[in-house]
Amino acid sequence: MKVSHSVDQALDKEIPSGEGVAPAISIHKGPADALDLDSSKTNEATVNGIGSSKRKATQAAGAKKGKAADEYDTKPSKRQRTSTANSNKRREATSSSDSEDVPLVAKKSASKSGTAATPNGTKTPNPRRSNAQQKGAGRTPSTAELKREKKEIEQREEEEAKSIRKSEKNNKPGGPVKKGAPSKKKPKVEESDDDDDEPIAATRRASKAKETPSTAKKATAVKKEIKAEASDDDDSKPLRRKAPTKQAAPKGQGKSAPATPGTSKGKAAAKKQETVDDDDEEADAGDEEFRWWEEEAKGDGSKKWNTLQHNGVIFPPPYEALPSSVKMRYDGVPVTLRPGAEEVAGFFGAMLNSTLNVENPTFQKNFFHDFTGILKSTGGAKDKNGKPVKVKDFAKCDFSPIFEYYESKKAEKKALSGADKKQLKAEKDALEAPFTYCMWDGRREKVGNFRVEPPGLFRGRGQHPKTGHVKKRVLPEDITINIGRESTVPTPPEGHRWKAVKHDQTGTWLAMWQENINGSHKYVMLAATSAIKGKSDYQKFEKARELKKHIDRVRADYKRDLKAELMADRQRATAVYLIDELALRAGNEKGEDEADTVGCCSLKYEHITLKPPRTVIFDFLGKDSIRFYNEVEVDEQVFKNLKIFKKAPKKDGDEVFDRLKTSQLNQHLSSYMPGLTAKVFRTYNASKTMADELRQMNPTGSVQDKIKDYNEANRRVAILCNHKRTIPASHEGQMEKLTEKASPPSPSHIKGLKYQKWRTKQQMLNLEPALKKKKGADFFKLDEDLNEDWIVQHQAFLVQEQRQKIEKKFQKDNEKLVTEGEKEMKTKELDERLEVADDLEKQFRKENTSKKVEPEGRNPTVERMETSLQRLDERIATMNTQAEMRESTKEVALGTSKINYIDPRLTVVFSKKFNVPIERFFSKTLRGKFEWAIQSVDESWDF
């Protein structure tokens, strides 16, 4: 089908086009009423053991405008599904988490004055910022500023791409070679001879009716292949991606040459050669550090391992029946359930405090459907006399006795002594020890998720339609083991057997099973710190660096095709524009029983609202059923195209891009460079933007000042890339903890530090009264932020804090004595220790009366106190900086971009170049995950 000239001419008159293709600028992220709660009156009666709650569950099945509650602050991290013990560490290592499904705009920050030559010969801004304030720290640029800045950046990137290709061509032996050039052959598109105004949806339905069985099979195969390739959930699938190939750095290219880790210096290259020669020695070394980035890369489909030995998986403990006195009630009557049904009732009862789930109508419906089915299969419910009780109405079910029982068990566990808790932990560690590591080609590698998911209720993320369904218990008969042929197969639990045992040397998984909710496969993989996971991250960022060479041709083609005569070409160009500018996911077609999550290619009529002259409102469920809402100013031609794509008689449910499939889009993108998919744009945009930002920086001052500059650069990346978030509900509380607004006041707050300064000055005055004349009376005055009422309150807090510390220390000392087989100390010892707090209280009372503060410490001198004042000033300055950083970054997800999208080597370069400890940017978990980046580059590396 073609777009008629009359349609284009009419739209040109209605919406005149500007010069060139304008970048997309986000003008509003998240609807104004996104955080509004349901104001309807709640039912005061207790139902299912759940009391009335102010917080209502999200009830919308789809993300209709003005109906869906905001999900950004409540979504769990990826790895929070199976374990809560290590949820914080896992959230840092993935993305999850803080991994909101928010857009990344594909543009970079730029300086308006001053340029310098990069290693590729292109012009970039000269370093001119000494600190974040010089670029307007904390200020969000206007729409016009962002538009102008993005346009300049885009032009710079095009020049750089041309320069890189020219440099490679000139240094390539044998003359110029066309590398990664887009294919001239375009995807075949069925053209309709019907009138141009015929709805595209209708023609697509007609074409589907004509499709032959063989064609359908081929299309399905392509779709599956592309779906596997374009999936963003790399953690749950075996890694089969192509390893990076090493390339010699061409002359004149310098820092921009593809940097295989470990080759940034001549010595490192020599060391690499030694490592390759000594592979056998390293294999025998066992626990020695394995520097995989210094080994020769292996291609896709090659053997990932030669020998593999592991001990399988750990299963959750069997169900422990409830005491006979604890029963679910139905219509007020306690009922007896068989163990299978009782376990499922316990799933719901244990989470009554999670109102976001248990008050969700979809959650309730799905749970009750499964629960009644299990009741029927296990013999039903019976009253105390053994008579059958028909459970038909969910509202009559009361799970509160079960909830109270599990809460009492939690309280008992919490009340255990420190020694008992340590013993339980030691027993747990001893049980898990054999499963935490495997032997991979003779070296010890850490296993990531060796625990089989326990049964429970599926929660999902966002507005998942299957939330509340029962996750069945996984048995050994469901699990396939992957292990070396010569290795000992792990022994399954007694009375069971494995589903299958494989020896797939091209796979990187150790075990797998299929869960019953979505039918997806779960894999036991190596930990994020392993060589396999490190290679995956490395390849991801190297692919983004490769896009740097081709981005000009990608953009030139889609800008040209925005006005293409063929509808399929125009839709494809518009989709690539949105992916490049907003980093939308490509999207895959969904089945009827799957969550209605969409991407660019699967956008429906109702997901896009057009506001002339060129504002587009996107409102749909994105990845993991998280709502994506964004108002964006787009190029005039893009706006016109979307208007054509939504032309009547299209209606709700019809696809906007009905002439474009994800497989076709990815096939087109891969014609520019192998492996290019929509998700690569997201990584490229963030990394390139950060590289440009860091190139302009020259931070000075303390370490904290430099970190502030880094975060400011990261913040600008988030703004330029539309990587925003809804302000967290915890933000106000965090700010109060840093500032004087906190109640009760803490000595570590800014106001508490000011009080310490005042006391120190009073002690100096007590030691040397002549200082009042020497330094002036103002020096010793009480800070204007402090007053006598606040001081009394703060002193009471300090006394209470001292008491708590003493009591806690006394309890720990007693636990240690019991562990060592000695007698506990008597309460008289505690009373004696608490006299210190009593003396402090008396001291404060005396100071308030006499208005004098006696010197403290051994051999107090004025010089020592002046040193203390200097340290307090530094702490106050640091906390003020932290408060400013928190306030300026409250609307941007810095952690998400730093961990998932920005090449970690850029952070390492900043750390080494400006002498900031890498620990200030990466936690211990992330340092293990990105060890390849930390070890492989120096301060001269460039993205």
Side-chain angles (χ1 to χ4, degrees):
M1 180 180 175
K2 295 182 179 180
V3 181
S4 65
H5 293 296
S6 59
V7 172
D8 277 336
Q9 289 172 357
L11 286 172
D12 286 340
K13 289 181 181 179
E14 182 183 346
I15 308 170
S17 297
E19 295 183 7
V21 177
I25 305 295
S26 176
I27 56 177
H28 182 59
K29 159 71 176 61
D33 59 347
L35 293 175
D36 290 350
L37 301 178
D38 188 351
S39 59
S40 59
K41 294 181 180 179
T42 57
N43 186 1
E44 295 299 328
T46 299
V47 180
N48 312 122
I50 312 166
S52 61
S53 171
K54 293 182 180 179
R55 184 176 187 179
K56 304 300 293 178
T58 302
Q59 300 182 8
K64 301 295 183 184
K65 290 181 284 294
K67 291 185 180 181
D70 187 84
E71 296 289 343
Y72 295 108
D73 298 331
T74 57
K75 67 186 183 71
S77 66
K78 278 185 179 179
R79 297 182 180 267
Q80 203 172 359
R81 300 169 188 163
T82 59
S83 174
T84 57
N86 298 317
S87 60
N88 290 334
K89 293 182 181 178
R90 290 176 176 175
R91 192 177 298 114
E92 280 185 310
T94 61
S95 164
S96 244
S97 349
D98 301 340
S99 125
E100 292 87 0
D101 187 30
V102 287
L104 276 168
V105 173
K107 301 293 167 263
K108 317 296 168 274
S109 62
S111 168
K112 296 180 185 178
S113 62
T115 60
T118 67
N120 300 312
T122 56
K123 292 182 177 180
T124 56
N126 275 324
R128 60 181 182 83
R129 297 205 309 262
S130 59
N131 52 52
Q133 286 79 359
Q134 286 179 300
K135 192 137 183 177
R139 185 183 71 86
T140 302
S142 67
T143 301
E145 289 174 331
L146 282 175
K147 191 185 301 181
R148 183 172 57 252
E149 195 169 7
K150 287 182 178 181
K151 207 157 189 174
E152 292 173 356
I153 293 164
E154 191 170 304
Q155 291 171 354
R156 229 177 18 250
E157 288 179 347
E158 291 173 3
E159 293 175 3
E160 186 175 358
K162 291 174 184 176
S163 175
I164 293 173
R165 289 201 305 275
K166 183 178 179 181
S167 175
E168 286 186 345
K169 184 172 71 172
N170 293 337
N171 289 278
K172 185 86 173 180
V177 176
K178 293 182 179 179
K179 182 180 178 181
S183 174
K184 294 182 179 179
K185 185 177 179 181
K186 295 182 179 179
K188 292 182 179 180
V189 180
E190 295 180 8
E191 294 191 24
S192 172
D193 294 328
D194 298 335
D195 187 74
D196 289 340
D197 292 333
E198 180 178 351
I200 301 171
T203 60
R204 172 174 253 189
R205 286 190 288 270
S207 66
K208 285 184 178 180
K210 296 177 183 178
E211 197 173 54
T212 64
S214 61
T215 307
K217 286 181 181 178
K218 289 180 182 178
T220 304
V222 172
K223 175 184 170 185
K224 287 181 178 179
E225 181 181 349
I226 296 300
K227 182 175 182 180
E229 178 182 330
S231 172
D232 283 290
D233 192 5
D234 296 326
D235 291 335
S236 61
K237 295 179 175 60
L239 295 172
R240 297 174 181 264
R241 287 187 272 180
K242 186 174 181 179
T245 56
K246 300 197 174 183
Q247 302 177 20
K251 294 179 181 179
Q253 193 167 334
K255 301 172 191 174
S256 288
T260 299
T263 61
S264 59
K265 289 185 177 180
K267 291 182 180 180
K271 187 174 181 181
K272 172 185 130 183
Q273 185 61 44
E274 292 173 9
T275 307
V276 173
D277 294 338
D278 297 334
D279 278 346
D280 295 335
E281 293 180 14
E282 284 199 3
D284 296 334
D287 291 338
E288 289 184 9
E289 182 184 14
F290 175 52
R291 301 172 71 88
W292 57 263
W293 53 90
E294 296 178 358
E295 280 201 338
E296 292 292 340
K298 296 179 181 179
D300 188 26
S302 65
K303 290 197 303 183
K304 300 297 188 301
W305 50 267
N306 294 310
T307 61
L308 175 61
Q309 175 69 63
H310 59 87
N311 292 317
V313 294
I314 286 185
F315 290 91
Y319 173 65
E320 183 180 333
L322 296 171
S324 58
S325 59
V326 179
K327 297 182 183 296
M328 180 192 108
R329 299 191 189 102
Y330 183 75
D331 202 13
V333 178
V335 294
T336 301
L337 308 174
R338 293 290 180 88
E342 184 184 80
E343 181 180 22
V344 175
F347 294 157
F348 193 92
M351 57 187 300
L352 286 186
N353 57 349
S354 178
T355 56
L356 182 68
N357 294 293
V358 298
E359 293 183 10
N360 181 352
T362 303
F363 189 94
Q364 295 175 353
K365 175 187 172 184
N366 291 336
F367 160 74
F368 196 62
H369 173 272
D370 289 357
F371 178 53
T372 51
I374 293 171
L375 267 177
K376 187 176 180 180
S377 65
T378 56
K382 297 180 181 180
D383 63 13
K384 64 179 181 180
N385 299 319
K387 294 181 179 180
V389 177
K390 293 185 178 181
V391 179
K392 294 183 177 180
D393 188 355
F394 175 75
K396 293 181 180 180
C397 297
D398 181 6
F399 302 93
S400 58
I402 300 176
F403 173 75
E404 291 166 2
Y405 170 75
Y406 283 127
E407 286 297 298
S408 66
K409 297 291 286 184
K410 286 181 184 177
E412 289 177 11
K413 190 173 181 180
K414 191 175 181 180
L416 288 173
S417 65
D420 290 338
K421 289 179 181 177
K422 286 181 180 179
Q423 183 179 351
L424 289 175
K425 185 178 184 305
E427 292 173 358
K428 178 175 175 288
D429 292 343
L431 176 66
E432 294 180 350
F435 303 89
T436 54
Y437 288 91
C438 71
M439 294 304 294
W440 185 291
D441 283 348
R443 67 178 182 273
R444 199 163 173 254
E445 290 277 13
K446 192 171 184 180
V447 180
N449 50 335
F450 52 83
R451 301 177 189 85
V452 174
E453 292 182 358
L457 300 183
F458 176 70
R459 303 191 187 192
R461 298 177 68 182
Q463 301 170 24
H464 203 290
K466 292 191 175 182
T467 182
H469 276 300
V470 175
K471 291 194 299 181
K472 295 180 181 178
R473 185 177 292 272
V474 179
L475 301 175
E477 287 76 10
D478 302 317
I479 295 178
T480 299
I481 297 292
N482 190 29
I483 198 166
R485 287 187 182 277
E486 307 301 325
S487 301
T488 303
V489 178
T491 305
E494 188 176 352
H496 294 274
R497 59 181 177 82
W498 302 118
K499 178 181 180 180
V501 176
K502 292 188 176 182
H503 313 288
D504 182 7
Q505 291 178 291
T506 64
T508 59
W509 54 280
L510 310 184
M512 62 171 281
W513 64 90
Q514 190 174 19
E515 52 88 23
N516 67 293
I517 301 295
N518 299 304
S520 60
H521 288 86
K522 300 289 184 179
Y523 292 89
V524 174
M525 311 286 284
L526 297 187
T529 56
S530 68
I532 291 297
K533 288 289 187 179
K535 289 177 183 178
S536 174
D537 285 336
Y538 168 71
Q539 293 162 14
K540 166 185 170 182
F541 292 111
E542 280 300 297
K543 194 174 292 182
R545 294 181 76 219
E546 180 70 16
L547 177 56
K548 182 173 64 172
K549 305 175 187 177
H550 310 286
I551 192 66
D552 62 321
R553 289 184 291 182
V554 175
R555 288 173 178 163
D557 285 355
Y558 77 63
K559 289 176 183 178
R560 180 196 64 228
D561 288 343
L562 287 174
K563 296 184 179 181
E565 186 178 4
L566 196 63
M567 178 65 78
D569 290 350
R570 190 176 290 207
Q571 287 195 1
R572 186 188 64 216
T574 305
V576 178
Y577 171 91
L578 295 176
I579 288 169
D580 186 22
E581 293 289 335
L582 302 178
L584 295 180
R585 290 177 170 84
N588 297 298
E589 295 179 3
K590 299 287 180 180
E592 292 181 1
D593 60 343
E594 293 183 277
D596 188 25
T597 59
V598 297
C600 187
C601 297
S602 51
L603 285 168
K604 301 289 181 64
Y605 182 92
E606 62 271 20
H607 296 149
I608 294 179
T609 303
L610 304 177
K611 289 173 57 177
R614 55 192 187 88
T615 298
V616 181
I617 301 175
F618 295 92
D619 192 355
F620 57 87
L621 292 185
K623 183 183 177 184
D624 296 319
S625 300
I626 302 300
R627 187 184 184 190
F628 178 99
Y629 182 99
N630 202 5
E631 293 183 24
V632 186
E633 280 191 7
V634 299
D635 176 70
E636 290 86 351
Q637 186 60 44
V638 172
F639 186 88
K640 295 173 193 175
N641 289 347
L642 291 173
K643 196 168 184 178
I644 294 172
F645 303 159
K646 291 191 68 177
K647 187 178 180 181
K650 275 195 180 180
K651 59 185 183 304
D652 285 0
D654 291 335
E655 292 182 346
V656 174
F657 296 96
D658 53 357
R659 294 282 178 177
L660 181 66
K661 293 182 179 179
T662 304
S663 58
Q664 294 172 332
L665 177 64
N666 283 329
Q667 184 180 5
H668 169 74
L669 292 176
S670 64
S671 68
Y672 294 96
M673 57 171 269
L676 179 59
T677 59
K679 64 179 179 180
V680 179
F681 285 89
R682 192 179 308 118
T683 308
Y684 165 78
N685 293 328
S687 296
K688 189 66 172 66
T689 304
M690 191 64 170
D692 289 347
E693 282 288 317
L694 297 184
R695 195 180 292 123
Q696 300 175 62
M697 294 180 63
N698 186 25
T700 57
S702 65
V703 169
Q704 190 63 37
D705 290 333
K706 294 175 182 178
I707 293 172
K708 182 180 179 181
D709 285 352
Y710 172 90
N711 286 336
E712 175 61 19
N714 195 353
R715 188 184 77 90
R716 286 189 61 81
V717 170
I719 292 172
L720 285 164
C721 295
N722 267 338
H723 199 186
K724 296 183 181 180
R725 66 174 178 179
T726 303
I727 299 175
S730 60
H731 173 72
E732 187 175 346
Q734 291 172 343
M735 291 299 294
E736 286 183 352
K737 288 179 181 179
L738 280 173
T739 61
E740 64 273 9
K741 297 179 182 178
S743 180
S746 165
S748 60
H749 297 163
I750 294 175
K751 206 167 181 178
L753 294 176
K754 289 180 178 180
Y755 170 72
Q756 291 184 47
K757 274 186 65 178
W758 176 78
R759 285 193 80 246
T760 303
K761 290 178 180 180
Q762 295 303 310
Q763 293 175 45
M764 291 170 61
L765 193 60
N766 195 315
L767 271 177
E768 196 173 325
L771 285 174
K772 190 169 186 179
K773 184 176 181 181
K774 184 178 180 181
K775 291 184 175 288
D778 292 343
F779 179 79
F780 298 95
K781 278 186 178 180
L782 190 66
D783 194 286
E784 59 183 12
D785 291 340
L786 311 179
N787 57 58
E788 292 186 1
D789 291 339
W790 183 91
I791 288 176
V792 172
Q793 182 189 9
H794 184 62
Q795 289 172 341
F797 173 83
L798 293 175
V799 172
Q800 182 62 27
E801 184 185 49
Q802 183 78 345
R803 291 184 190 279
Q804 291 174 352
K805 286 181 179 178
I806 293 171
E807 289 171 353
K808 192 173 182 180
K809 180 69 166 56
F810 178 79
Q811 184 181 358
K812 283 187 175 182
D813 290 345
N814 262 345
E815 290 173 358
K816 185 177 180 181
L817 289 173
V818 172
T819 304
E820 294 173 351
E822 299 181 17
K823 291 184 179 180
E824 290 186 355
M825 293 180 289
K826 297 181 180 179
T827 54
K828 183 179 178 182
E829 173 67 21
L830 175 61
D831 293 337
E832 292 177 358
R833 294 186 182 188
L834 287 173
E835 289 178 2
V836 175
D838 296 336
D839 292 342
L840 181 63
E841 187 176 18
K842 293 175 183 176
Q843 180 182 343
F844 284 148
R845 209 176 289 132
K846 181 180 178 182
E847 290 176 4
N848 296 338
T849 303
S850 65
K851 307 298 181 184
K852 292 183 179 180
V853 181
E854 295 181 1
E856 297 173 348
R858 294 181 180 178
N859 303 320
T861 63
V862 172
E863 290 74 17
R864 289 183 179 179
M865 292 179 184
E866 286 179 339
T867 303
S868 297
L869 286 178
Q870 186 178 354
R871 290 173 181 169
L872 287 170
D873 284 333
E874 290 174 357
R875 289 179 64 188
I876 292 172
T878 298
M879 295 190 75
N880 278 323
T881 301
Q882 291 175 348
E884 291 172 11
M885 285 166 51
R886 283 187 184 274
E887 184 63 27
S888 66
T889 60
K890 63 183 179 182
E891 292 185 284
V892 292
L894 299 185
T896 301
S897 59
K898 182 176 70 176
I899 296 169
N900 298 318
Y901 299 139
I902 295 175
D903 194 316
R905 289 171 290 190
L906 291 169
T907 302
V908 175
V909 167
F910 182 91
S911 170
K912 293 182 177 180
K913 188 174 182 179
F914 301 112
N915 297 317
V916 180
I918 194 64
E919 292 81 7
R920 302 300 297 269
F921 300 112
F922 292 148
S923 64
K924 182 179 180 181
T925 303
L926 289 178
R927 292 197 300 276
K929 177 181 173 68
F930 295 137
E931 183 184 11
W932 61 271
I934 297 171
Q935 299 289 345
S936 66
V937 300
D938 58 18
E939 62 183 52
S940 64
W941 184 85
D942 186 31
F943 181 79

